[in-house]
Amino acid sequence: MSTMPNFSFIQCRIHQGVGELILNRVDKHNAFDDVMISEMLLALSYLSTSNDCQLLVLKAEGKNFSAGADLGWMRRQANMDFEQNLDDAHQLATLMSTLDDFPKPTLALVQGAAFGGALGLICCCDIAIATSQALFCLSEVKLGLIPAVISPYVIRAMGARNARRYMLTAETFSSDTAQKLNVIHDINDSLDLAAVPIMTALKQNSPQAMAWSKTLVKYLEDGHINQATQDYTSERIARIRVSKEGQEGLNAFFDKRTPHWKVDSDPQGNP
């Protein structure tokens, strides 16, 4: 196993199969900049390849989940030329896609403010829970900007019509509204306790099957159902039936025994 990296603005740890990526820049309300983005990418790389990590929890220290982009970082961006800004934006885009494509289940626990790019992080996670007092905002247009890099994930979650409203008005919305918009799934003021049954359920499942389920959903996101769809889904179920983990799961079920991943899980199972 690779060595756990050292970080300045985040914490990264694994305990009993649960990998935690914790935003820890409390004095800046966990606003992120290029350094924090680089650290998050390193942490995600480490956690995705660690056999000790079965699932990922994304959360934050302090009062707020994240205020979005750091003001100092934004000030530097204003003095960059186009090419420098393009490289900078690609780094954030890489973070979003890396989290979105993370090969293990991901759970976001959200408290306080979740503004701007923070919504992108939440919408990239498979499951999200927020406290009743959490607040959300796509605030970019107030600064003459647009939520461009996070927009594919936000629009996928809330739909294009709702995205138009909240991207244009930059209004703050509540946890109740975020749940109706599919930005979060549940509301609970005891985030860690609320996470327990979800984490317990995830640990019972085949790591390979969960990874493949994530890629299955992504492939089918456009909603098109045609011959290519039928061919793809047929190939997927046939291939996983004959895979090592698929065979183990079926045999364990018929033999009325516990499959091996519930005892000594190997969370790697790339499609």
Side-chain angles (χ1 to χ4, degrees):
M1 186 195 308
S2 58
T3 303
M4 178 81 75
N6 293 317
F7 301 110
S8 300
F9 297 147
I10 66 170
Q11 296 177 41
C12 178
R13 61 195 182 206
I14 302 172
H15 179 66
Q16 295 182 344
V18 178
E20 291 186 327
L21 198 169
I22 306 169
L23 309 184
N24 189 31
R25 202 178 182 212
V26 177
D27 59 322
K28 299 291 185 180
H29 304 286
N30 295 316
F32 46 83
D33 60 6
D34 50 346
V35 175
M36 191 170 181
I37 290 170
S38 296
E39 291 188 349
M40 293 177 73
L41 282 167
L42 285 172
L44 289 173
S45 176
Y46 174 82
L47 293 169
S48 69
T49 56
S50 171
N51 289 337
D52 296 325
C53 176
Q54 296 171 259
L55 60 102
L56 169 66
V57 174
L58 174 64
K59 59 184 183 178
E61 296 285 359
K63 180 180 177 181
N64 297 302
F65 180 76
S66 174
D70 174 75
L71 295 178
W73 183 39
M74 293 172 64
R75 189 173 291 111
R76 294 197 302 273
Q77 291 168 340
N79 294 317
M80 294 177 182
D81 62 24
F82 172 77
E83 292 300 330
Q84 291 171 320
N85 264 291
L86 186 60
D87 290 341
D88 193 68
H90 275 308
Q91 184 79 339
L92 180 59
T94 299
L95 171 61
M96 296 296 162
S97 65
T98 300
L99 180 58
D100 192 59
D101 292 335
F102 196 78
K104 305 165 189 182
T106 54
L107 170 62
L109 302 179
V110 183
Q111 81 281 5
F115 288 1
L119 261 77
L121 295 175
I122 296 165
C123 291
C124 286
C125 289
D126 302 319
I127 306 166
I129 305 173
T131 64
S132 60
Q133 299 302 309
L135 293 173
F136 304 81
C137 184
L138 293 162
S139 54
E140 286 82 355
V141 292
K142 289 183 177 181
L143 303 175
L145 304 176
I146 56 175
V149 170
I150 66 171
S151 61
Y153 312 102
V154 173
I155 292 170
R156 181 182 62 190
M158 65 170 58
R161 189 72 189 283
N162 286 319
R164 284 189 183 194
R165 170 178 172 171
Y166 291 100
M167 288 182 181
L168 293 174
T169 63
E171 63 191 285
T172 300
F173 55 96
S174 67
S175 291
D176 286 333
T177 300
Q179 187 176 34
K180 292 174 183 175
L181 294 173
N182 296 319
V183 171
I184 61 172
H185 295 93
D186 297 314
I187 299 172
N188 197 307
D189 287 331
S190 299
L191 290 176
D192 289 334
L193 287 177
V196 171
I198 294 175
M199 294 188 297
T200 300
L202 293 171
K203 286 184 179 182
Q204 303 305 305
N205 302 329
S206 157
Q208 176 182 268
M210 290 191 293
W212 286 33
S213 291
K214 291 183 66 163
T215 58
L216 178 69
V217 171
K218 190 161 191 175
Y219 181 88
L220 299 173
E221 275 177 2
D222 62 13
H224 295 159
I225 302 174
N226 50 31
Q227 188 60 50
T229 309
Q230 296 177 40
D231 292 343
Y232 173 79
T233 54
S234 297
E235 186 274 340
R236 291 284 84 188
I237 186 60
R239 188 172 297 280
I240 205 164
R241 283 173 184 163
V242 300
S243 71
K244 181 178 179 181
E245 214 160 279
Q247 290 283 297
E248 167 64 13
L250 289 169
N251 288 327
F253 175 78
F254 289 118
D255 294 343
K256 294 182 172 55
R257 61 176 175 81
T258 301
H260 72 79
W261 58 76
K262 290 188 180 181
V263 179
D264 184 21
S265 177
D266 176 5
Q268 298 306 303
N270 297 315

